[in-house]
Amino acid sequence: MKESTREKFMHISVATIATALYKRGLRNQVIQGVGPVGNKGRNMVGPAFTLRYMPAREDRNQIDVFRNPEHPQRVAIETCPVGHVLVMDSRKQANAASAGDILLTRLMKRGGAGVVTDGGFRDAATIAGLDIPAYHTRPSSPTNLTNNEAIAINEPIGCGDAPVFPGDVIVGDADCVIVIPAEIADDVADECIEMTAYEEFVAEQVAEGETIIGLYPCTKDENRSSYEAWLSTKGADYFYHRIKQNA
């Protein structure tokens, strides 16, 4: 992913991205049921690096499996590339943890951009205080071995009913997480910057009492002209201009 594309997505909401993907016929890219473990005040952005769990079988999932240096959960933490988001397919099972604070601290120290599971995390209060964006369904204390076995690294997965392919761009905000196919990420980022700027204009207009008819969406020439004039007053400090200049 280009650094300019990453920077753009840092300033774009998941809702705006979802609309841009909907226009392209992609309607199931939001990872359902997950939310932030403590809002970090910034977006989570990075290519996907995946871990897949399968249903546990008791004879394969005793506690001593963690002694194996090739255990996929541990290997995923130790091999997730810098700047990537670890995305875990935990079968939407939150009655056992996908990981805990020690593993996520290690991921943070290695330079991971974030972590997402459609299951739960143990030690969630501690994770909320870490400087790494993390998303899950709810806190869960039992070890993942209770009902899940980590089985495969960096292959296509489903997470919260969304398809995730390695390298897809993951964006999380204060609400939720979305998956952007890697091959269209640059174009989506550019479109969403335009959408974000216009929506900020609309929000100001509506707050001042303007009707949304003809404004949102823009169907009147006078609203387009007002927007262009509004945009020109923002100058070089406005993130729209700053990001476009750095692209």
Side-chain angles (χ1 to χ4, degrees):
M1 180 173 57
K2 294 191 299 187
E3 189 57 34
S4 59
T5 297
R6 182 193 297 271
E7 179 63 21
K8 290 168 188 174
F9 281 129
M10 292 296 295
H11 301 277
I12 298 169
S13 72
V14 168
T16 298
I17 297 168
T19 299
L21 293 180
Y22 182 87
K23 293 177 183 178
R24 291 165 169 78
L26 298 170
R27 303 184 178 188
N28 297 292
Q29 299 304 113
V30 172
I31 296 178
Q32 297 296 315
V34 308
V37 188
N39 183 13
K40 299 301 184 288
R42 67 182 189 274
N43 279 5
M44 174 185 70
V45 182
F49 184 81
T50 65
L51 172 65
R52 180 170 63 86
Y53 287 96
M54 65 175 286
R57 199 177 76 190
E58 289 78 1
D59 64 325
R60 290 176 52 89
N61 284 275
Q62 300 303 310
I63 196 69
D64 61 358
V65 300
F66 286 145
R67 295 179 179 273
N68 180 359
E70 297 182 359
H71 187 271
Q73 184 202 45
R74 268 52 177 176
V75 172
I77 294 293
E78 294 290 344
T79 59
C80 180
V82 172
H84 283 56
V85 174
L86 178 59
V87 184
M88 293 186 276
D89 172 6
S90 297
R91 307 188 301 116
K92 298 191 291 185
Q93 297 288 316
N95 55 337
S98 303
D101 68 306
I102 294 175
L103 269 63
L104 297 195
T105 298
R106 175 60 178 161
L107 181 65
M108 177 184 70
K109 290 295 185 180
R110 291 194 59 257
V115 58
V116 186
T117 178
D118 58 3
F121 289 130
R122 66 197 314 183
D123 316 305
T126 303
I127 291 170
L130 296 177
D131 190 29
I132 182 172
Y135 293 78
H136 73 167
T137 59
R138 62 174 172 82
S140 182
S141 294
T143 174
N144 68 89
L145 301 175
T146 305
N147 68 345
N148 280 334
E149 177 179 348
I151 197 68
I153 296 172
N154 216 31
E155 64 176 29
I157 62 170
C159 184
D161 297 323
V164 184
F165 291 83
D168 282 349
V169 176
I170 308 297
V171 179
D173 63 9
D175 292 333
C176 51
V177 179
I178 196 164
V179 184
I180 306 159
E183 60 271 18
I184 62 173
D186 294 342
D187 290 342
V188 170
D190 287 339
E191 179 179 348
C192 287
I193 286 294
E194 301 278 357
M195 292 170 63
T196 298
Y198 185 72
E199 287 170 358
E200 185 173 322
F201 164 74
V202 168
E204 289 186 11
Q205 296 298 300
V206 172
E208 293 174 2
E210 293 293 332
T211 177
I212 60 171
I213 304 302
L215 176 66
Y216 190 63
C218 183
T219 58
K220 293 183 177 180
D221 290 341
E222 56 265 36
N223 287 329
R224 173 57 60 178
S225 297
S226 295
Y227 166 63
E228 295 293 345
W230 173 88
L231 191 60
S232 69
T233 68
K234 294 300 179 179
D237 291 336
Y238 187 53
F239 80 80
Y240 170 84
H241 293 287
R242 184 172 70 250
I243 292 171
K244 295 295 272 189
Q245 289 169 355
N246 291 338

